[in-house]
Each structure stands twice: as structure tokens, then as C-alpha cells.
Amino acid sequence: MAIEKTEQVLQEPNAAPAQPELLVSAVLHLMSHYTANNQESSSCIKLASVIERHLKALADLPDLAPVLRATCQQLSEQWAMVVERAMPQPEKFKLFTRLVTGARVN
């Protein structure tokens, strides 16, 4: 039964009832998987995004201790930057390509 609740929180952290211990457990689990996967291969944007959402959900819990809420907020922002950096950048047209194809960049 605990596994089912954890899976529910992993999929939709904001839809689950406010259970700080379960959210902390889930985010620590996700972070350890991210670290293990990052060492084996390229980092996973989706996993980093889920970690960021879990930390944000924890930071938004009003009953959480202020120091823990602040920590979760700071970590959420840091993970958001990890996700942003990992996102593919839009391809920029080079001058030659624009001249040959007639493409215009607005």
C-alpha cells in the first residue's frame, strides 16, 4: 500500500494529500536515481523536472517547518535551472544558411 501511495505522489505530487514525509521520501529517492543515472549516462530532463516539482510542492506546504520550506524552495529553484540548462536550445541560423535559403530570423 505504501508503494501505491509513493507511485501516486511520484506521478502527481500536487494531487496527493499533504503528507510531507511521503514527499520528502519520494524526492530523496528521485534525487538518488538522478545521481546514479547521471553517472551512467546523460542526465534525464524528465526526472529533474519531477524532482523540481516535488521540491516546489514541499515548499508550498504551510505546515512544514520554515527552515525546511526555505530549503525546498531554494532547491526547487536550483533544479529548475538544471532543467532549463538541459533543455535543447533552439537552432540558430547561421548567416550563410539564411542567405542560401532566404530564411529570415525575426
Side-chain angles (χ1 to χ4, degrees), residues 26-97:
V27 77
L28 291 172
H29 182 75
L30 290 168
M31 292 169 90
S32 67
H33 279 282
Y34 182 87
T35 302
N37 289 340
N38 196 24
Q39 290 174 356
E40 294 172 8
S41 62
S42 63
S43 60
C44 178
I45 298 171
K46 186 174 181 179
L47 185 54
S49 178
V50 172
I51 292 168
E52 186 270 330
R53 284 196 321 254
H54 276 69
L55 289 166
K56 180 72 173 133
L58 280 164
D60 292 340
L61 292 177
D63 295 337
L64 210 57
V67 68
L68 188 53
R69 288 179 62 206
T71 300
C72 290
Q73 179 62 40
Q74 290 174 349
L75 290 172
S76 172
E77 292 168 3
Q78 290 176 7
W79 278 98
M81 288 189 290
V82 169
V83 172
E84 186 177 322
R85 281 193 308 260
M87 294 294 288
Q89 298 298 317
E91 189 175 319
K92 295 182 180 181
F93 289 100
K94 295 185 179 179
L95 179 59
F96 181 74
T97 305

Side-chain angles (χ1 to χ4, degrees), residues 8-22:
Q8 179 185 7
V9 172
L10 291 176
Q11 294 170 1
E12 296 293 332
N14 294 328
Q19 298 180 18
E21 299 83 6
L22 188 55

